[in-house]
Amino acid sequence: MGELVLIRHGQTEWSRDRRHTGWTDVPLTEEGVRQAEGLRPLLEARDIGRAVVSPLARAVRTAELAGLGGGAADPDLREWDYGGYEGITTAEIRRGRPGWDLWRDGVVPGGPDHPGEAVEAVGARVDRVLEGVARSVGEEGAPDVALVAHGHVLRVLTARWLGLEPGAGALFALGTGSVSTLGREHGRPVVTSWNLAPSD
């Protein structure tokens, strides 16, 4: 049955260092390239009929290395805009805001390139993505649809697939260079696999 195949891009310097990486175009590290290349055999074993990719370079490059080059770019798959927290770690933010949590407390506005987004705005974006790709999910013989994007936006998308509020994405940890799948069971949206690395 057709599934949504969620692919988080490979490692970047910022993801490695746990810096919030929203709309800044940070390239893959050598490890990130290795992770992306390692996805190819796993994806070749699937019947992927369509790929939709975030326009940010780290996702586009991951798609290419994983054998999904030429996928349609969708700006709604860009990562959460972290506003004034772009490039900053959670530990650094908590020095000024003890106990801060992205999912609960949100972000502060940044400059013109990083105005920031509420989690509900990210949820509205992924709802549009799902409207465009979810029709055949769970249908017998339907091909899979691959979504190549970023950790937080894919977590919000998963929450929305399950009918949860966008902030419930906090419940779904997602590593770089990982593959997860969403499908249906008896017509109900479900998680069919989660956060798998090629070596798993």
Side-chain angles (χ1 to χ4, degrees):
M1 294 187 184
E3 293 184 311
L4 293 178
V5 182
L6 312 185
I7 302 160
R8 185 182 174 192
H9 64 77
Q11 183 195 74
T12 68
E13 285 189 9
W14 282 22
S15 68
R16 180 195 63 204
D17 298 340
R18 301 186 175 275
R19 297 168 67 182
H20 286 90
T21 318
W23 295 2
T24 303
D25 240 343
V26 182
L28 300 179
T29 60
E30 289 185 15
E31 172 63 12
V33 168
R34 186 196 66 75
Q35 288 176 333
E37 290 173 340
L39 295 170
R40 185 180 286 260
L42 191 153
L43 298 174
E44 285 177 344
R46 303 190 69 98
D47 177 20
I48 296 178
R50 180 180 173 199
V52 185
V53 183
S54 161
L56 294 171
R58 59 194 184 271
V60 172
R61 183 66 175 141
T62 296
E64 291 170 350
L65 293 168
L68 300 173
D74 187 340
D76 282 332
L77 278 176
R78 286 185 301 178
E79 182 59 295
W80 194 331
D81 176 7
Y82 301 117
Y85 294 149
E86 184 76 6
I88 301 174
T89 68
T90 295
E92 290 169 330
I93 296 165
R94 286 179 175 170
R95 288 183 197 133
R97 291 184 68 180
W100 174 83
D101 178 82
L102 172 67
W103 300 94
R104 182 189 64 230
D105 303 320
V107 302
V108 296
D113 293 335
H114 299 286
E117 283 184 293
V119 69
E120 292 79 11
V122 183
R125 287 201 277 118
V126 300
D127 283 349
R128 291 193 294 267
V129 173
L130 288 171
E131 283 175 17
V133 301
R135 290 182 198 92
S136 63
V137 174
E139 289 185 7
E140 191 74 36
D144 296 332
V145 177
L147 304 178
V148 187
H150 315 273
H152 281 138
V153 74
L154 290 175
R155 292 168 68 173
V156 174
L157 183 143
T158 299
R160 298 301 298 141
W161 173 252
L162 297 173
L164 305 174
E165 293 299 317
L171 303 174
F172 304 102
L174 199 55
T176 55
S178 64
V179 175
S180 304
T181 54
L182 306 177
R184 296 186 195 274
E185 183 181 60
H186 306 302
R188 182 186 300 113
V190 295
V191 175
T192 50
S193 69
W194 192 254
N195 202 31
L196 302 177
S199 58
D200 290 345

